[in-house]
Amino acid sequence: MSVILKLKELLFFFLKWIFLLASISLISGSLSAVFLVSLNYVTSYRNYHREIIYLLPIAGLCIGLCYHYYGKSVARGNDLIFDTIYFPKDVIPFKMLPFVLFGTLVTHLFGGSAGREGTALQMSAAAADQFHNIITISTKDRVVLLIAALSAGFASVFGTPLAGAIFGLEVLLISKIPFKAIAPALITAYLANFVAELWGIKHIHYQIPEVPDVSVQLLGYTIISGLVFGIAAVLFVRLTSQVSSVTRLIRFPPLRPFTGGIIVVALLLAFGAEKFAGLGIPTILRAFEQPSLPADFLLKILITAITLGMGFKGGEVTPLFFIGATLGSALSLVFPIPVSLMAGMGFVAVFSGAAKTPVACIVMSVELFGISGCIYMMVACVIAYLISGRYSIYNAGENKQPRHFLFRSHFNF
C-alpha cells in the first residue's frame, strides 16, 4: 500500500512541476513577445516623430505619479524580486507586471535611455509568483519557481536560452545555488524562448567575421581590454547609484523623473537623440562594423544613469551592451584586434562586470557570436568580473558578495 502511495505522490509531483514549468514558459514567452513587439512599435514611432522627446519630462511625471499613488509596493522592481528569493515572504503583487510594462514603453516612446531585461524579469517573476496563491508550494519550491521565471524572462527577451538559464542561477549566488533549480531553469528558458519565437519574434544577431589566431600578445591586449571593460562597468553602477541617491533630495517622488526628463532631453538634443535614445540598437550594430567615437560609451553611461537613476523604467542590460560594444569598438583604434571582435568582447564583458554573471556572459557570447572567438570573450568577461569587485546592478540582498562558482563551490548536493 505504501508503494502505491509513494507512486501517487511521485506522479503528483511530476504533474505539478510539468504544469508549473509549462505555464511559466508559455506566459513568459508570450509576455516577452508582446513586450518586444510593443517596444519595436514605440521605437519606430519615436524615430518618425523625433519631436516627441520634448515630452519626456511629462512622461516621467506620469510614471512617477502612477508609482507614487498606486504602485509603491512594486516600485523597487528587480530588488523586490531578489529580496523575495532571498527572504520569501509576501507574494509579489501582480500589478508589478502592468506597471513595469507601461513604464518601460512610455520611457522608450519618449526617448529615455533604458533597456528591456528588467521589464522581462519583473513581468515573468510577478506572473510566476501568483501560482503560490492557487497551488500549495513550499518556500524552497517557490524559490525554484522564481529562478525559473527569471531564466525564462531573460532567455525569451534576448533569444539566448542557455545563457538565460545560467543567468537565472548565477545572478542569485549567495552562498550556494539551489541544485534542484538547475533543471527548471533550463526547461523554462528553452521553452519560453521557443514560445516567443512561435509568436514571430526575431532576435538580433551580430556578426564577427574575422577572429585572429590566439597568441600571447593578443591575449595580453584582451586582458588589458577586460580591465577597461570592468572599470566601465563600475562607472555605470556607481554613477547610477549616485544619481539615485542625489535624486532623493527631491522630496516629492513624481518630480524626480520629471526633473530627470528635462536633463535627458537636454543631453539628447546636445549629443543626438538618434544615437542615445532608447535601446540604441543601430549604434550597437554600427560598432561591429566601424570604430565608434571614444565619447559614445561615456555619454551612454551618463544618459542611462540619469534615466534609470531618476525613476524611469526599463532594464540596464541593453545599455550595458551599447556601452561595451562602443567602448570595445573604440579600443580597436588602439589595439591590433578586429573591430567586430573588440565590440563583441565589450558587449559581453561590461555586462559581466556590472551583473556579476561571467559564465552566463561567456555562454551568451557563443549563442550570439559563435564559438570561434570564445577564448577572447572568456578572458575579457572573467577579467571584467574580477576588476569590478562588489559593484553590481543587482543590489538586493545585503549579504550578497561577489563570490562565484568559478573559484569556489556553491552547489549543495
Side-chain angles (χ1 to χ4, degrees):
M1 190 67 178
S2 61
V3 175
I4 295 176
L5 288 175
K6 286 186 178 296
L7 288 174
K8 286 183 178 180
E9 290 176 2
L10 189 62
L11 178 61
F12 175 76
F13 172 83
F14 279 111
L15 290 176
K16 181 180 78 170
W17 278 101
I18 288 172
F19 168 75
L20 289 172
L21 297 182
S23 298
I24 291 172
S25 301
L26 178 61
I27 293 169
S28 296
S30 298
L31 286 172
S32 290
V34 170
F35 171 51
L36 291 175
V37 169
S38 302
L39 190 57
N40 286 338
Y41 175 79
V42 299
T43 299
S44 296
Y45 187 88
R46 187 191 69 241
N47 289 337
Y48 283 106
H49 302 84
R50 299 285 174 78
E51 66 279 1
I52 201 172
I53 68 169
Y54 291 106
L55 298 177
L56 182 62
I58 304 301
L61 181 63
C62 291
I63 294 172
L65 289 170
C66 287
Y67 272 88
H68 182 67
Y69 288 109
Y70 305 106
K72 285 184 178 179
S73 62
V74 297
R76 294 180 60 235
N78 287 338
D79 284 351
L80 174 61
I81 296 170
F82 297 143
D83 278 343
T84 301
I85 293 174
Y86 296 140
F87 315 107
K89 293 179 181 178
D90 298 333
V91 173
I92 298 171
F94 180 76
K95 64 181 177 181
M96 172 181 275
L97 194 161
F99 268 70
V100 73
L101 178 61
F102 165 77
T104 303
L105 292 177
V106 169
T107 296
H108 282 275
L109 174 63
F110 293 96
S113 176
R116 50 193 172 176
E117 108 292 340
T119 306
L121 298 182
Q122 291 175 48
M123 291 194 301
S124 185
D129 210 27
Q130 306 313 306
F131 287 101
H132 188 58
N133 289 323
I134 58 177
I135 297 177
T136 302
I137 302 175
S138 67
T139 299
K140 290 184 178 180
D141 285 347
R142 184 184 174 203
V143 169
V144 171
L145 206 62
L146 286 172
I147 291 173
L150 294 181
S151 297
F154 189 95
S156 55
V157 84
F158 288 121
T160 53
L162 186 53
I166 296 172
F167 172 87
L169 297 163
E170 192 176 18
V171 77
L172 294 165
L173 284 175
I174 312 171
S175 60
K176 58 187 176 182
I177 297 175
F179 179 65
K180 64 180 181 180
I182 295 176
L186 283 166
I187 292 169
T188 54
Y190 275 93
L191 286 180
N193 182 62
F194 177 71
V195 169
E197 290 178 349
L198 285 180
W199 283 103
I201 296 299
K202 303 294 184 184
H203 297 286
I204 298 170
H205 294 281
Y206 304 89
Q207 300 296 322
I208 300 181
E210 182 184 355
V211 177
D213 294 334
V214 177
S215 68
V216 174
Q217 183 184 26
L218 291 183
L219 286 179
Y221 290 132
T222 302
I223 291 172
I224 297 172
S225 300
L227 294 172
V228 178
F229 296 143
I231 293 170
V234 172
L235 180 60
F236 175 82
V237 174
R238 293 295 294 151
L239 185 59
T240 303
S241 177
Q242 289 299 317
V243 170
S244 181
S245 297
V246 171
T247 298
R248 294 191 182 96
L249 296 175
I250 301 175
R251 294 298 183 88
F252 187 52
L255 288 180
R256 296 169 188 171
F258 174 79
T259 305
I262 295 174
I263 299 172
V264 170
V265 168
L267 291 171
L268 292 178
L269 292 177
F271 299 107
E274 180 182 358
K275 180 179 286 188
F276 297 106
L279 295 173
I281 297 296
T283 304
I284 297 175
L285 291 171
R286 282 197 297 272
F288 281 81
E289 299 171 353
Q290 59 189 43
S292 300
L293 296 175
D296 283 355
F297 84 96
L298 287 172
L299 288 169
K300 188 64 173 180
I301 289 175
L302 176 63
I303 296 171
T304 306
I306 295 171
T307 299
L308 297 178
M310 298 195 77
F312 286 91
K313 299 301 173 181
E316 298 94 344
V317 173
T318 305
L320 288 170
F321 291 162
F322 182 114
I323 294 162
T326 53
L327 174 56
S329 182
L331 286 176
S332 69
L333 296 170
V334 180
F335 300 137
I337 298 177
V339 61
S340 58
L341 180 58
M342 284 297 300
M345 286 162 49
F347 186 101
V348 291
V350 173
F351 176 31
S352 170
K356 299 294 171 287
T357 55
V359 176
C361 291
I362 293 167
V363 173
M364 172 180 274
S365 74
V366 175
E367 291 186 296
L368 291 177
F369 311 132
I371 193 67
S372 59
C374 184
I375 184 64
Y376 296 104
M377 306 293 174
M378 181 174 65
V379 171
C381 285
V382 172
I383 295 298
Y385 163 76
L386 292 174
I387 200 67
S388 60
R390 62 185 178 85
Y391 298 107
S392 172
I393 56 176
Y394 303 118
N395 294 315
E398 293 299 324
N399 296 323
K400 187 180 179 187
Q401 299 296 327
R403 292 168 284 193
H404 202 277
F405 63 76
L406 271 173
F407 313 104
R408 176 179 171 184
S409 176
H410 295 279
F411 286 95
N412 182 24
F413 291 96

